[in-house]
Amino acid sequence: MQVTTTGSSQIKRYLLLFFLGCCACSKLHAQHTIKGTVYQKDTRKTLTGAAVLLYDEKARIKAQTQSDEHGNFIINNIQVGFYRLLVSFMGNRTEMIPVEINGRVKTLTFSYIQLSPSISLSRVDVKADRPLMSIRKDTIEFNAGELPSLPNANMHELIEKIPGLTMDENGNLFYLGAPIKELFIDGRSLLQNMSSAKRVMEILKADLADKIQISDKKNVAGITEPGKNEKVLNIVVKDEMKKGVRGTVTAGYGTHDRYNAGTTFNLFRKKITVLGDVLANNNNTQSDAGTNYTVSFNGFNQQGTNKIFNFSTYTTLEVSKKIKLTVNLRHQEQDMTSNDLQERENILAGGSTFYHSNTQNHQINKLNGGIMFMEIQPDINNKIIVAANVIRESKEVSKNRLYNTTGSRMDTINSGILNTNDSAVNKTLDGNISYSHKFGKTGRILSLNAGMKNGWQYSYQLNYSQNNVFHPLTSADTIDQRVDPKNKVRNILLSASYSEPVGKYWALAINYGYENLFTHNRQNTSDFSSFSHNYVPNDSLTYRFDSRIVNHTVKPSLTYNKGKVMIVGSAGLSLNTLTSNNHTSGEKFVRHTTYLDRALNVAIKLDPYKTIMINANGITMPLPAQMLWPVNNNSNPLYVQLGNPDLINAFINTLSVSYFSNSIKGVAFAHNLEGRYFQHSFSNAVFTDSLGRQVTKPINVSGNWGIVDNNMLGFRFKHPGITVNYNAAFDYNRVLSQINGRDNISKKISILQYIATSYNWRKTLELTAKLGLDYQGNMLSLQGDYYTDYIQYRLTFNANAWLPLDFNIGSSIQYTKNTDAGAQFTLLNGWVGKSFLASKALTAKFYAFDLLRQNKSVVAFYGTTYRERLETTNLSQYFMFSLTYSYGRKGGKHPLPPAH
């Protein structure tokens, strides 16, 4: 009995000690909270979007947040210790508050943090690394000084170091998958159309940037449109770079008569920015010889061999305090020759036919154009935007093709030659004017917009073909035609919108849109007569169509906005009238259609750095007028495309969920999941005969759907200076078409893995590497769900180093393998350079291209009714010596790393 009592007492003592230990641990690891409210000292008003940073004793960032619409902020889960609280807002002095967190107070409150106004943002001397990025409302700001670059580096090389910011092979910029639609310099619009910003990013040098800012694209009323995930990029130029004129003059000449010459210039002032570029070369690049052009991930060089001459200017200026003007002018010339080997499998129910061709191409393109964009803001409540775009493009194409078609047993069905000469002139004239007015009541806005788009196309074709048919009977067919197509398009667009707040968090808006699209299409066709030795009109291939689409849309919307949660619901009613006149046959089609659009967009701001977006949309896709009549080009009589006047509008339903996250430590993440379902989708009906001829006609189908899952991750380690951008995308599409009257379901799968890294060591050595794996799979029901797939691997590695005595060496390598095309090759380039004069103003460089003589271009493609492989001749090995003189450069000699 006594033993039992003693054991019970020991157990109680152990339990008591354990309980006291738990209490001590909970005291030691208790989590605390800091709250506060931020005010502007002079106005006594709360500040929305003030940045709040919490540093520990070792000057490490432990937490970050922003003040909300009422100026309040909160930081949770803080451990016991000593900290510094930094509070800042643009145009005000930064406040630093010492903070002690102890076990006695669970919540520490700063009820009245005042920020004093300042002409320039004051800096607090804290012994800590500046954060790579900060967030102010909808603007993400990167400190360019935290992204070290090599001497002579351009802006393209700088932005590659920003987590989440990427550029594709066409020069388009993206931030976490969202397209960047506009480029600003010091807050003034420089590029309205960001179809290709790569050359502009080469003209701009990396050392001129103080900050890189990315924000949401806003409409004419200054509002971010719900459901649109589009961005703009602003480069803030250093004050010391706003003096003088900077630029380069380059000339290079090499083996096989290769040359590359050009000049660039840029000027930055408080009220004006001017960029200029003149470039002429025949070495298949859009860069001058002074640029250390490396192998891009999607192919450094153009296909074939090219000669180019480009001239462009970009100007943005403040005419007055109320008027901002942007004018961009460009002239482009390209002369391209190539030899293409094409292998195409046309898929049929009982087997396939195989089309093989060898084509010699010669193409000359010329383009002249200009864009004018003017913003007039007489006062804070009124804004007028006027835009105009003028383009004239001419094209001359000559093709000589040898071809043959074989059956599944590789027996020859037909063979022949195709010779075409095509010249065309395209003209575009667009104009647009917008006006917005903000009334005295917050949220009450009126917007008006009027625009006109005009396009003209004049073409002249000479087509000659000889087609020899071997099965089932041997015969020959010769076509010698002259074709003269002309197109004219005029589109008038009018819209008006009005928004009215109807409560503290609610707003009602209504939008009206009017569109009048007129298209005139005419084609005269003549056949060569061996009797008269002249071209005789061919009435069967001569036609004239007129088409007019008139559309009225009324769309009311309701918005709920409570700061962290924004919900927008809208529904549109459209009345559409399509009138199509076939003047050749005397037929006329008139169709009246009423359709609805719907949208629900939800944005949830978990905190200033994390956002969830949910979008559900149902949108009518109006019938393109071009589908009503045949395609103009008859350059290949084996492939004919008809029109279909019986088509109806398509409708697409989409549902997407997106998550975006940023961190001042340099981590960016985005995930997007989207599903699509099409009703009455536009597809093709293909008719292929035993002679290898193919006729295509557009049709409506139902049952098309797809799903996309996209993940993007970008992060940067300041030490040792590595940036990583990773993208993983999955895409599945189910597409219905018809082949010879039978339904064909094509199921396409795409899986893309992409990773890019950039490393800079002491501004002396820079390494970049990119790896991509692209898996493509295709299943066709027409051939018993036969599944084919391939993987394309691509690896690029670039190295660039500055050595003592101002020597520069570099190398660039790309390895490509395509399992379907059965091709793999390595493209190896390298250079060595030496700089002279003060600030490295003069650079001599020796460049070697394609050292291994393996340069190729092989592409595999899966269509809904065919599989294709295309191989194009590319520029092969050459060597070039160049001189580049840089003027207006700032800075001294490049510092060398300390000796070890």
Side-chain angles (χ1 to χ4, degrees):
M1 192 71 179
Q2 188 177 356
V3 175
T4 303
T5 304
T6 303
S8 175
S9 299
Q10 289 178 342
I11 292 174
K12 291 179 180 179
R13 284 197 298 269
Y14 290 150
L15 289 174
L16 179 61
L17 290 173
F18 179 74
F19 175 74
L20 294 174
C22 290
C23 292
C25 290
S26 64
K27 265 299 196 196
L28 183 62
H29 297 286
Q31 303 296 313
H32 301 266
T33 299
I34 296 178
K35 291 182 177 181
T37 305
V38 186
Y39 293 84
Q40 213 281 341
K41 185 175 181 180
D42 290 352
T43 63
R44 307 286 180 172
K45 293 182 178 180
T46 57
L47 292 176
T48 302
V52 182
L53 303 177
L54 186 69
Y55 290 88
D56 64 8
E57 287 184 290
K58 296 182 179 179
R60 296 174 299 190
I61 297 176
K62 304 302 293 182
Q64 58 182 357
T65 188
Q66 280 185 324
S67 58
D68 60 18
E69 63 271 21
H70 303 296
N72 300 322
F73 69 87
I74 183 169
I75 301 176
N76 294 313
N77 302 324
I78 306 173
Q79 296 183 4
V80 172
F82 293 92
Y83 300 89
R84 290 187 181 94
L85 185 70
L86 268 72
V87 184
S88 63
F89 189 83
M90 185 70 71
N92 292 269
R93 298 181 181 277
T94 300
E95 288 293 323
M96 184 190 72
I97 305 172
V99 175
E100 179 185 0
I101 300 295
N102 54 48
R104 295 187 300 274
V105 179
K106 186 175 181 181
T107 300
L108 190 61
T109 303
F110 297 93
S111 301
Y112 203 72
I113 300 175
Q114 300 181 75
L115 300 186
S116 302
S118 174
I119 297 175
S120 60
L121 185 65
S122 300
R123 301 185 183 276
V124 177
D125 186 16
V126 179
K127 294 182 179 179
D129 292 334
R130 294 174 62 194
L132 173 65
M133 60 165 287
S134 60
I135 297 181
R136 302 181 187 278
K137 294 186 178 180
D138 63 344
T139 299
I140 303 170
E141 184 177 89
F142 295 90
N143 293 309
E146 301 300 308
L147 303 167
S149 300
L150 296 184
N152 297 334
N154 56 47
M155 195 65 63
H156 182 198
E157 295 168 295
L158 175 69
I159 64 174
E160 283 188 330
K161 300 178 177 63
I162 295 179
L165 186 58
T166 56
M167 178 182 287
D168 67 9
E169 69 275 16
N170 297 316
N172 299 307
L173 286 169
F174 298 87
Y175 183 70
L176 291 178
I180 295 177
K181 291 295 187 179
E182 199 169 351
L183 173 65
F184 288 80
I185 301 290
D186 285 335
R188 295 189 300 269
S189 177
L190 186 75
L191 272 180
Q192 285 289 314
N193 182 6
M194 292 283 283
S195 58
S196 179
K198 184 176 181 181
R199 182 55 184 163
V200 175
M201 291 299 173
E202 288 182 349
I203 298 173
L204 298 171
K205 296 301 180 181
D207 60 354
L208 66 85
D210 181 37
K211 299 181 186 300
I212 305 293
Q213 298 173 335
I214 300 172
S215 58
D216 296 332
K217 183 174 175 61
K218 296 179 173 57
N219 60 17
V220 66
I223 300 174
T224 302
E225 295 187 26
K228 282 193 175 182
N229 188 23
E230 297 177 349
K231 305 291 183 180
V232 299
L233 185 143
N234 180 45
I235 299 173
V236 180
V237 180
K238 297 175 181 176
D239 289 338
E240 60 266 29
M241 296 297 175
K242 298 178 182 179
K243 300 176 182 179
V245 179
R246 308 178 80 205
T248 60
V249 179
T250 303
Y253 188 78
T255 58
H256 308 291
D257 291 326
R258 297 296 159 199
Y259 64 87
N260 192 328
T263 180
T264 68
F265 62 90
N266 55 70
L267 176 149
F268 302 98
R269 295 292 186 273
K270 184 177 181 180
K271 295 185 177 182
I272 184 172
T273 297
V274 181
L275 274 67
D277 179 31
V278 181
L279 180 63
N281 66 53
N282 66 349
N283 66 336
N284 278 30
T285 179
Q286 296 291 328
S287 304
D288 58 69
T291 303
N292 284 333
Y293 39 81
T294 54
V295 176
S296 68
F297 181 72
N298 289 279
F300 148 78
N301 56 318
Q302 303 165 350
Q303 294 182 348
T305 56
N306 296 262
K307 290 192 298 183
I308 67 167
F309 174 73
N310 296 338
F311 168 79
S312 56
T313 62
Y314 309 87
T315 304
T316 175
L317 72 154
E318 293 183 17
V319 179
S320 67
K321 291 183 179 181
K322 299 178 180 180
I323 301 176
K324 295 180 181 179
L325 177 66
T326 298
V327 178
N328 299 335
L329 304 174
R330 58 176 173 156
H331 170 80
Q332 298 177 349
E333 296 182 16
Q334 180 186 28
D335 189 323
M336 186 271 289
T337 58
S338 68
N339 190 77
D340 302 336
L341 296 176
Q342 179 186 13
E343 296 179 3
R344 180 168 180 166
E345 178 186 1
N346 295 309
I347 299 164
L348 306 174
S352 299
T353 61
F354 299 87
Y355 177 78
H356 316 267
S357 70
N358 186 340
T359 307
Q360 294 179 344
N361 295 313
H362 183 211
Q363 182 170 317
I364 299 175
N365 295 337
K366 293 182 180 180
L367 184 147
N368 293 283
I371 297 175
M372 186 276 291
F373 179 84
M374 182 166 59
E375 180 180 306
I376 307 170
Q377 190 160 9
D379 53 57
I380 195 172
N381 293 323
N382 294 279
K383 180 186 289 187
I384 301 171
I385 293 178
V386 181
N389 180 29
V390 180
I391 294 177
R392 185 187 188 276
E393 183 178 11
S394 63
K395 180 184 297 185
E396 296 180 10
V397 181
S398 176
K399 293 185 178 182
N400 298 311
R401 179 181 302 173
L402 298 175
Y403 71 88
N404 69 82
T405 305
T406 60
S408 56
R409 298 181 180 180
M410 302 309 294
D411 51 325
T412 301
I413 298 176
N414 63 25
S415 66
I417 63 171
L418 293 172
N419 297 327
T420 63
N421 291 282
D422 188 355
S423 61
V425 175
N426 299 324
K427 300 178 182 179
T428 301
L429 175 60
D430 298 342
N432 191 85
I433 181 169
S434 301
Y435 168 74
S436 66
H437 175 73
K438 296 180 180 179
F439 295 88
K441 187 176 182 180
T442 303
R444 182 182 292 169
I445 301 173
L446 172 67
S447 298
L448 304 174
N449 184 81
M452 176 179 289
K453 299 181 179 180
N454 294 276
W456 300 267
Q457 180 183 28
Y458 306 96
S459 183
Y460 181 81
Q461 303 168 12
L462 288 176
N463 305 319
Y464 178 81
S465 67
Q466 288 183 340
N467 185 33
N468 301 309
V469 180
F470 300 98
H471 295 287
L473 298 174
T474 302
S475 61
D477 184 21
T478 300
I479 297 178
D480 189 348
Q481 289 180 339
R482 183 179 65 190
V483 185
D484 180 21
K486 293 183 179 180
N487 292 319
K488 180 180 179 181
V489 177
R490 182 180 68 248
N491 194 9
I492 299 175
L493 299 165
L494 302 173
S495 66
S497 65
Y498 176 79
S499 62
E500 175 71 24
V502 292
K504 186 176 181 180
Y505 304 114
W506 296 88
L508 182 64
I510 187 166
N511 178 275
Y512 168 77
Y514 169 82
E515 180 179 10
N516 189 319
L517 173 61
F518 173 78
T519 306
H520 174 72
N521 180 281
R522 179 181 66 79
Q523 175 173 295
N524 294 326
T525 304
S526 302
D527 295 326
F528 184 79
S529 173
S530 57
F531 296 101
S532 61
H533 296 281
N534 199 358
Y535 286 95
V536 178
N538 184 332
D539 293 337
S540 63
L541 295 177
T542 297
Y543 53 80
R544 185 161 62 96
F545 290 90
D546 284 338
S547 176
R548 185 182 298 275
I549 298 176
V550 178
N551 191 63
H552 299 267
T553 301
V554 177
K555 180 179 291 186
S557 63
L558 183 64
T559 301
Y560 172 80
N561 188 355
K562 198 178 178 181
K564 292 186 177 181
V565 179
M566 182 176 181
I567 303 173
V568 181
S570 63
L573 173 66
S574 296
L575 305 177
N576 184 283
T577 301
L578 168 63
T579 305
S580 179
N581 288 308
N582 186 335
H583 298 286
T584 305
S585 63
E587 297 177 284
K588 181 177 181 179
F589 298 91
V590 179
R591 182 182 299 117
H592 300 282
T593 308
T594 301
Y595 55 86
L596 293 173
D597 292 344
R598 54 185 180 271
L600 178 63
N601 305 294
V602 180
I604 304 173
K605 218 170 181 57
L606 302 178
D607 60 38
Y609 306 91
K610 301 180 181 66
T611 303
I612 295 176
M613 298 180 67
I614 303 172
N615 300 309
N617 298 288
I619 301 174
T620 297
M621 301 173 62
L623 168 66
Q626 293 84 346
M627 288 187 176
L628 298 174
W629 47 72
V631 172
N632 298 325
N633 198 330
N634 293 335
S635 59
N636 189 344
L638 293 180
Y639 294 92
V640 178
Q641 177 140 359
L642 303 178
N644 185 358
D646 296 327
L647 289 174
I648 61 175
N649 296 325
F651 195 88
I652 177 173
N653 300 274
T654 62
L655 175 62
S656 65
V657 180
S658 304
Y659 172 77
F660 302 93
S661 172
N662 289 282
S663 166
I664 60 174
K665 296 183 179 180
V667 180
F669 174 75
H671 175 252
N672 179 66
L673 178 63
E674 179 179 292
R676 307 178 298 265
Y677 178 75
F678 297 83
Q679 296 171 273
H680 309 299
S681 178
F682 304 126
S683 186
N684 286 317
V686 179
F687 303 90
T688 303
D689 61 22
S690 60
L691 303 182
R693 293 175 298 197
Q694 181 172 294
V695 177
T696 302
K697 180 180 179 180
I699 59 173
N700 289 111
V701 298
S702 290
N704 290 0
W705 62 275
I707 187 170
V708 177
D709 185 78
N710 203 351
N711 296 274
M712 290 147 286
L713 174 64
F715 55 90
R716 178 169 176 81
F717 300 106
K718 182 172 182 179
H719 304 288
I722 297 177
T723 300
V724 178
N725 281 308
Y726 171 74
N727 179 222
F730 170 81
D731 194 349
Y732 174 86
N733 283 286
R734 180 186 186 273
V735 180
L736 180 66
S737 60
Q738 289 184 358
I739 300 179
N740 290 341
R742 292 186 55 179
D743 289 343
N744 173 50
I745 299 175
S746 174
K747 300 176 182 178
K748 292 185 176 183
I749 297 176
S750 172
I751 302 175
L752 174 67
Q753 299 284 319
Y754 168 86
I755 186 170
T757 62
S758 172
Y759 167 70
N760 184 284
W761 181 72
R762 298 186 178 182
K763 298 184 179 181
T764 301
L765 172 66
E766 189 159 287
L767 305 175
T768 61
K770 299 177 183 180
L771 173 64
L773 283 80
D774 186 6
Y775 172 84
Q776 298 287 336
N778 195 30
M779 178 183 291
L780 302 172
S781 66
L782 198 66
Q783 292 188 345
D785 289 339
Y786 179 63
Y787 188 78
T788 55
D789 60 357
Y790 72 88
I791 302 177
Q792 178 160 291
Y793 306 88
R794 184 165 282 149
L795 169 67
T796 67
F797 179 77
N798 304 314
N800 191 7
W802 281 84
L803 305 178
L805 302 178
D806 289 336
F807 277 96
N808 171 232
I809 62 172
S811 181
S812 182
I813 185 171
Q814 174 178 287
Y815 171 76
T816 302
K817 181 177 181 180
N818 188 302
T819 59
D820 185 83
Q824 59 181 6
F825 57 91
T826 302
L827 176 60
L828 175 62
N829 307 327
W831 66 88
V832 58
K834 173 73 169 70
S835 295
F836 305 90
L837 306 181
S839 301
K840 304 182 181 64
L842 180 65
T843 301
K845 184 172 68 173
F846 178 78
Y847 183 83
F849 176 79
D850 191 20
L851 287 168
L852 303 179
R853 290 185 177 272
Q854 295 185 13
N855 189 28
K856 296 180 182 178
S857 176
V858 180
V859 177
F861 181 75
Y862 288 173
T864 56
T865 60
Y866 64 90
R867 292 187 287 267
E868 186 174 273
R869 177 185 185 270
L870 181 65
E871 180 177 342
T872 305
T873 57
N874 275 21
L875 188 65
S876 59
Q877 185 184 88
Y878 72 87
F879 302 91
M880 178 175 288
F881 176 78
S882 66
L883 289 173
T884 301
Y885 177 71
S886 301
Y887 58 90
R889 175 176 295 172
K890 306 293 182 183
K893 278 191 168 289
H894 175 55
L896 294 176
H900 293 284

